[in-house]
Every structure is written in C-alpha cells, then in structure tokens.
Amino acid sequence: MPTAELDARVEEELEINPALEEGRDEEKKESEDENFEDNFEEEQSFDEKDLNIDDYLNDDYGGYKMQGDGNYSPDEEDREIPISSGSSLHEQLISQLGFLKLDERQRNIGKQLIGSIENDGYIRRDVEAIINDLAFSQNIETDADEVEEILRRIQDFDPAGIAARTLQECLLIQLERKEHPDDPTTCNSIKIVNDCFEEFTKKHYSKIQKKLEIDDEQLKDAVNMIIKLNPKPGGTSDGLVKTQYIIPDFILTNVDGKFDISLNSKNAPELRVSRSYSEMFDAYDKSDKKDKKLKETVTFVKQKLDAAKWFIDAIKQRQQTLLKTMHAILDYQTEFFYEGDETKLKPMILKDIAEKIEMDISTVSRVANSKSIQTEFGIFPLKYFFSEGIATDSGEDVSNKEVKSVLQQMVDNENKKKPLSDDKLVKLLNDKGYNIARRTVAKYREQLQIPVARLRKEL
C-alpha cells in the first residue's frame, strides 16, 4: 500500500477492532510511569510555608487563562501554522462581474460562462452547449450573439487572457490589451498570431517574414513579445491549483560515509494488543463455558485478539519488506547515493532486486511504484533507480539514465540557430562510445520532453 492508504487502513482497523490500540507496549509504559511517580514523590517534599494558599486561591488565574488578555487562547497549544487564504479565480471573476452594468438575466448568463472556465483559464464548452445549459438549468432563452457579447466583456477581466476558447484567442486578448497597441512590435505580434499562427507554432519563421514582409530584427522582437505572454492565465490565481506535498517513505542519512536508512513514522505506526481485552479473554477462558452466551463472548474476544495480533504482524512484515528492498537498492546504487550524480547509476531491473532479497518481482514492483526516499540530494521515487542497460564500445553496460543525461547535455549546449537533428545526436553518442540506434534516441528525446530539432530553433 502507498503510505497514505496505510494510514487510512490503520485508522479503519483501530475503529473496527477494540482489541487493537495505538501506543507502545504497555509494560514499557508502566515501568516509565512508575519511575515518573517515584521521581515525582521525591520532588514533592516542600515546606507549606513556601506557598501562600490565600494568595493562590484569591488570584484570578481562571479569568487570566480563560478570557485572556490577548496573549493566550484555550486552544493555544493545538494551534497550527496558519495557511494563507486568498480568493479563488472564480470568486475574483464573479466580483469583477458585479462591476458591469448588467440586468439579472445577463448576470446569470455571465455566471454560467464563468462557471464554464476550466482550471487553466479556458472555456472549452461550445457556445451551443452553454445555451442549452442556460435553458435547462435556469430557464433562460438566449442565442449565440448575446452569449458571445457577454463573453467578450468577461474576456476584458483580469487576469489577461481569461475565458479564451483557444490558445490563439488567449494570446490575441493579451496583445490587444498592451499599453501601446499601436507600437510596431505589438502590431507585428498581433499579425503573427492572427494571420500566421500555424507557421508560428511550427517555427516556420522564413514563411512569416515573407508573408508579413518584415526583417529579422522585427521578427525577433515580435516573437519575443509573444513568448512572454501567459498561455495559461487561470494557473496564476491562488486557490485554484492544489499544492501536493511528497512525504518520503524512507529517510537516508550519510554520517561520515556510513548510510543509515529509517522509515517514515507513518510507515511505522505504534500499535499494541489491548491489555484489558487480553485479561478479559484469560478470565473468560478459565471460567465455566457451559453458558452459551459466555461461550459466544469468548469466541468474539478471541477473534478480535487474533485479528489485532495478525494486523500488528502484517505491519511488521511490511516494514521488514520495505527496509529489505531499500537496503538492496542502496547496495546496488551506492555510488549514486554518495554523490547524487545520475551518470553513476548502474543498470538495474526489478529482477535484480527480487533475486537479491529472495522475493517475488511483483512485490518489488509494488514497493518501487509507490515509495520514495529522501536523500541529501533531494527526494526520489524508488522507480527512478531502475533502468535498462545500454552497451558501450568497452563492452560494459551503462544505465539508460546516463545516456539520457548525456543527451540532455548535448541539446542544452547545441547552437539553437542550428539545433542537432536525431541523426546528428546518434553520431555524437556513438562517438562517445554509446551503441545506440536512431529510434532509441528519438524515444529518449520524447521521454525527456525535448522537441524535434525544428521546434528547438531560435532566432
């Protein structure tokens, strides 16, 4: 199970099984409590004269603590770090809608349009579909002209580009709202987006120059203006996109060259079998079981105790499997964990780890796909450490991650006016000793989300 699911599963088991409790083993706790009581008794020898009881009873501690003077609140100890709360994109747009001089009917159409805006700021529903929604849900009969008129007014709202139906429309809205719309660069930018959008997306710059009759400098200024526009205006507003935090399952520390792996506390919950339930079972078990109800009670208590013991054992087994798998990965990829250098990763597949820990490949796969580890170089999913091997001229196998890293460096360092084609990348990799085919380079390039050479071209 992923850690979050395990947490929910533990909570569920605690709710349905009264024989299972949170906390450490009671024997340890009792011995700690006894020590505490002994120490407490030793420390409580004091002279009553040291304490003025009248002053204590008459002092208004209750009023101070409960009513407060600005320095204390009853739930002060439980207070959490406050989370900043800003208005959502939807609330901001509804607020701006209120400033338009619209009648109730038009305002309802506006609200329907704002409700159709997706997380990235676009409206992708057809106008006809929105008209149907208004007819069915609000009993408003309208037509495309009226809806588009109100839509144009919403498109004047902030953030610029909001409520566009296409990327082209989004960019045009932003360009038309520029401070100096008659500026030559702005005019050229509008013409490119309006008349040469397909050529622009494919980076056919020579065709744009020929069509608009502009020189290299004018083209460069216009393209720079366009690429600084926001293609996802909705993504800039607070409250729309939820931030997800990765909680690592393992924590790796390096102390003087020695590694220590520990489990996240969520993966190691403290559970115990209820002592009162165990005592209850012992008492019932020793009594006369001729009574049918008593027999049923004994059976019920035993089932709950067995279930609690099984659950605790299952959690322990999970912890052992996780640690065994992580230790095997650490042994295999020791060089990487010392330096954090991707090129130090060795080729490693699920079978390698499964054989090392003598477990099934499916078990290793489940661990690798849902767990992550915190290192001094960052947090990595375990599947990051698995990769196929690529043969080199020296006869060794290297991780495909090393090849991808070299490929990324080549693209980063290329001349952007003349980017490297896949054929050229293959030749350069072969020159470095990596025996790799063109289709493999194309596959790795796509996995790294690197566009083809033509789309990497810059002016």
Side-chain angles (χ1 to χ4, degrees):
M1 277 187 178
T3 305
E5 285 183 30
L6 175 73
D7 202 29
R9 179 72 180 83
V10 170
E11 288 297 324
E12 181 188 348
E13 195 68 22
L14 285 166
E15 282 180 21
I16 64 174
N17 190 348
L20 186 69
E21 293 179 349
E22 278 188 291
R24 286 176 294 171
D25 190 45
E26 279 193 336
E27 287 179 12
K28 290 181 186 175
K29 191 168 181 272
E30 276 183 8
S31 63
E32 285 171 7
D33 288 346
E34 284 169 12
N35 291 338
F36 173 77
E37 283 170 12
D38 292 341
N39 293 337
F40 184 77
E41 285 169 8
E42 286 172 14
E43 290 170 9
Q44 290 309 302
S45 55
F46 58 84
D47 192 336
E48 288 184 15
K49 292 176 185 175
D50 294 340
L51 182 63
N52 189 324
I53 301 297
D54 292 334
D55 288 347
Y56 173 78
L57 293 173
N58 293 330
D59 206 334
D60 190 19
Y61 286 109
Y64 162 69
K65 289 231 171 183
M66 299 310 293
Q67 294 170 19
D69 60 356
N71 297 320
Y72 178 85
S73 66
D75 59 346
E76 184 154 338
E77 289 185 9
D78 295 328
R79 187 181 295 160
E80 293 181 353
I81 297 169
I83 298 169
S84 61
S85 59
S87 58
S88 68
L89 175 65
H90 181 267
E91 289 167 340
Q92 291 172 23
L93 295 174
I94 291 292
S95 174
Q96 292 176 73
L97 185 71
F99 292 108
L100 298 181
K101 292 179 180 178
L102 302 174
D103 57 31
E104 188 179 354
R105 167 198 166 82
Q106 292 171 320
R107 196 159 44 249
N108 286 331
I109 294 172
K111 285 180 180 177
Q112 188 72 33
L113 285 165
I114 289 170
S116 300
I117 295 173
E118 296 182 12
N119 284 1
D120 55 5
Y122 287 84
I123 290 181
R124 292 187 174 86
R125 298 208 73 205
D126 292 335
V127 170
E128 287 301 320
I130 293 171
I131 291 170
N132 289 337
D133 289 344
L134 286 162
F136 285 116
S137 63
Q138 300 194 45
N139 200 26
I140 294 175
E141 293 289 335
T142 183
D143 56 28
D145 290 339
E146 185 178 21
V147 171
E148 291 201 8
E149 172 58 32
I150 295 170
L151 175 60
R152 276 191 287 274
R153 299 184 74 177
I154 290 171
Q155 287 174 344
D156 286 333
F157 291 176
D158 289 324
I162 200 72
R165 288 161 288 184
T166 62
L167 174 61
Q168 185 178 17
E169 186 177 40
C170 177
L171 299 177
L172 278 173
I173 291 167
Q174 293 177 64
L175 288 168
E176 287 164 359
R177 287 178 62 175
K178 286 284 182 184
E179 195 174 344
H180 304 291
D182 298 328
D183 174 72
T185 301
T186 307
C187 290
N188 286 332
S189 299
I190 290 171
K191 285 177 186 175
I192 289 171
V193 175
N194 215 11
D195 305 330
C196 311
F197 192 66
E198 189 176 350
E199 291 89 338
F200 172 73
T201 57
K202 292 179 178 177
K203 293 196 175 184
H204 290 317
Y205 296 130
S206 56
K207 291 182 181 179
I208 295 172
Q209 281 184 282
K210 191 175 179 182
K211 195 170 183 178
L212 300 183
E213 298 179 349
I214 55 177
D215 60 32
D216 288 353
E217 200 60 38
Q218 289 172 314
L219 176 67
K220 192 172 183 179
D221 290 343
V223 169
N224 282 336
M225 178 176 280
I226 295 167
I227 62 176
K228 286 176 183 173
L229 301 174
N230 186 1
K232 293 183 179 179
T236 59
S237 290
D238 292 334
L240 192 68
V241 180
K242 289 182 180 178
T243 304
Q244 289 189 327
Y245 296 95
I246 297 173
I247 300 172
D249 302 273
F250 303 95
I251 296 160
L252 180 71
T253 52
N254 182 350
V255 182
D256 298 328
K258 290 185 178 180
F259 291 115
D260 180 59
I261 298 172
S262 58
L263 275 173
N264 177 305
S265 59
K266 294 279 185 185
N267 276 306
E270 288 186 345
L271 299 172
R272 67 185 180 208
V273 174
S274 167
R275 185 167 180 177
S276 58
Y277 248 69
S278 296
E279 289 171 351
M280 191 192 307
F281 175 71
D282 290 341
Y284 286 154
D285 198 35
K286 289 171 186 174
S287 62
D288 184 9
K289 297 192 188 68
K290 289 178 182 176
D291 188 320
K292 189 181 177 184
K293 284 188 178 178
L294 184 60
K295 198 171 184 178
E296 287 174 358
T297 304
V298 172
T299 304
F300 172 80
V301 172
K302 187 176 187 305
Q303 284 173 347
K304 292 300 178 186
L305 284 169
D306 288 344
K309 287 173 185 172
W310 174 87
F311 193 77
I312 291 168
D313 287 341
I315 294 287
K316 284 179 181 173
Q317 188 179 332
R318 168 200 170 84
Q319 292 166 5
Q320 288 166 3
T321 303
L322 291 180
L323 287 169
K324 195 184 282 189
T325 306
M326 191 61 242
H327 276 292
I329 293 171
L330 175 62
D331 289 343
Y332 219 101
Q333 303 290 7
T334 305
E335 280 189 66
F336 170 83
F337 288 108
Y338 274 123
E339 301 177 31
D341 184 353
E342 194 175 43
T343 60
K344 299 288 184 184
L345 283 171
K346 295 179 184 176
M348 182 179 80
I349 57 175
L350 295 171
K351 188 181 176 185
D352 295 328
I353 299 301
E355 287 175 352
K356 201 173 177 73
I357 63 174
E358 298 179 347
M359 286 189 175
D360 198 80
I361 289 177
S362 62
T363 304
V364 178
S365 175
R366 285 195 295 273
V367 173
N369 283 324
S370 62
K371 304 288 173 290
S372 60
I373 182 168
Q374 179 181 305
T375 72
E376 58 186 289
F377 313 109
I379 297 175
F380 297 91
L382 294 200
K383 60 184 176 184
Y384 172 84
F385 305 112
F386 292 85
S387 61
E388 297 287 342
I390 298 285
T392 63
D393 286 345
S394 61
E396 294 179 14
D397 267 2
V398 295
S399 165
N400 60 10
K401 279 193 167 57
E402 179 178 329
V403 181
K404 286 180 185 178
S405 179
V406 173
L407 179 63
Q408 183 72 62
Q409 288 171 20
M410 286 178 175
V411 172
D412 290 344
N413 297 328
E414 70 186 357
N415 179 358
K416 295 301 178 186
K417 290 184 179 179
K418 291 181 180 178
L420 300 167
S421 66
D422 286 354
D423 287 328
K424 286 180 181 174
L425 289 168
V426 169
K427 189 175 185 307
L428 289 170
L429 285 166
N430 287 341
D431 290 345
K432 285 181 176 287
Y434 301 109
N435 298 324
I436 190 166
R438 186 185 182 282
R439 65 178 179 275
T440 310
V441 167
K443 182 177 81 171
Y444 289 172
R445 180 177 51 70
E446 286 169 10
Q447 288 173 354
L448 292 166
Q449 297 183 333
I450 298 171
V452 293
R454 178 170 48 77
L455 296 179
R456 301 200 303 272
K457 188 176 181 180
E458 293 178 5
L459 293 168

